[in-house]
Amino acid sequence: MELPDDVPSRVAEWKYLPAWQVENWPDQLAALTGGRTREQARQIRRIFEHRLRLVRELHGAGVRLAAGTDTGTGYLVPGFALHDELALLVAAGLTPAEALRAATRDAARSLGLPTIGTVARGQAADLLVLDADPLHDIRNTRRIHGVVVDGRWIPPEERRRLLAAVEAAAAQTPPPQQGATMTGCGCGGHP
């Protein structure tokens, strides 16, 4: 919510969420940020930049950073938002390799999960195969060729079919019943 002017009006991956959810985001954003004065908006932007510096300092001090974007937060699509988080880590001063470690090895360690080198024989690992080098440009993590999940190769055609099924399911998902409540604050601190 620190950068409401940078919030896109439409992003391709929003199609993987129910339309009623996406359509509510501008109202939620307006409710949270609409009453800010220009000075308050400048102050909030300075807070965002301070957070980037803080991440850089924590990293420089050897603090383990674990990437893993919030879900249920407006303007974020689970899975896809991680690419934006990686870019923010690089903007904060991490190298692309360090940002990737924050999303893989360090996130796994933070959760007590096995990491490369600690996976027992016979355990399947997940793998992302990219069409471009993310160490050259972290945005290349979006250039996904295929994935290995639980030891099973999912080629590009199957991945497209799976995403199409998610899109179709999202299109068929009705809004919550009248009177239903959401849990969680939805205040993940993202734009």
Side-chain angles (χ1 to χ4, degrees):
M1 297 298 130
E2 291 94 347
L3 307 173
D5 295 337
D6 296 345
V7 172
S9 60
R10 194 78 191 150
V11 176
E13 61 256 23
W14 291 357
K15 65 186 174 186
Y16 301 116
L17 295 174
W20 57 263
Q21 183 178 7
V22 172
E23 290 164 359
N24 285 325
W25 288 345
D27 292 337
Q28 292 170 2
L29 183 64
L32 291 169
T33 65
R36 289 182 185 162
T37 65
R38 287 180 191 237
E39 179 52 36
Q40 288 170 325
R42 281 192 292 275
Q43 184 178 13
I44 296 294
R45 186 169 282 277
R46 286 192 299 270
I47 290 170
F48 174 78
E49 291 174 9
H50 173 74
R51 288 180 178 178
L52 289 177
R53 285 191 304 275
L54 183 60
V55 167
R56 180 174 38 253
E57 290 175 18
L58 289 168
H59 176 69
V63 174
R64 180 187 307 154
L65 302 176
T69 301
D70 296 339
T71 59
T73 301
Y75 297 95
L76 297 180
V77 179
F80 291 91
L82 182 59
H83 300 286
D84 297 327
E85 186 172 356
L86 291 170
L88 283 171
L89 288 172
V90 170
L94 279 71
T95 67
E98 291 166 335
L100 290 169
R101 278 193 290 276
T104 54
R105 183 195 67 192
D106 294 345
R109 285 181 178 168
S110 296
L111 295 170
L113 299 171
T115 60
I116 293 175
T118 64
V119 175
R121 185 180 177 125
Q123 284 185 310
D126 296 342
L127 175 71
L128 185 65
V129 179
L130 302 174
D131 286 327
D133 186 356
L135 299 178
H136 175 70
D137 184 341
I138 197 65
R139 294 173 297 183
N140 287 337
T141 61
R142 290 184 175 271
R143 298 191 51 195
I144 300 168
H145 179 75
V147 296
V148 175
V149 178
D150 292 328
R152 184 171 89 68
W153 169 244
I154 300 174
E157 314 79 51
E158 184 177 351
R159 184 173 170 272
R160 282 190 288 277
R161 284 192 301 273
L162 290 168
L163 287 171
V166 171
E167 181 180 358
Q172 298 297 318
T173 303
Q177 295 292 324
Q178 188 76 9
T181 59
M182 281 183 55
T183 58
C185 70
C187 56
H190 298 283

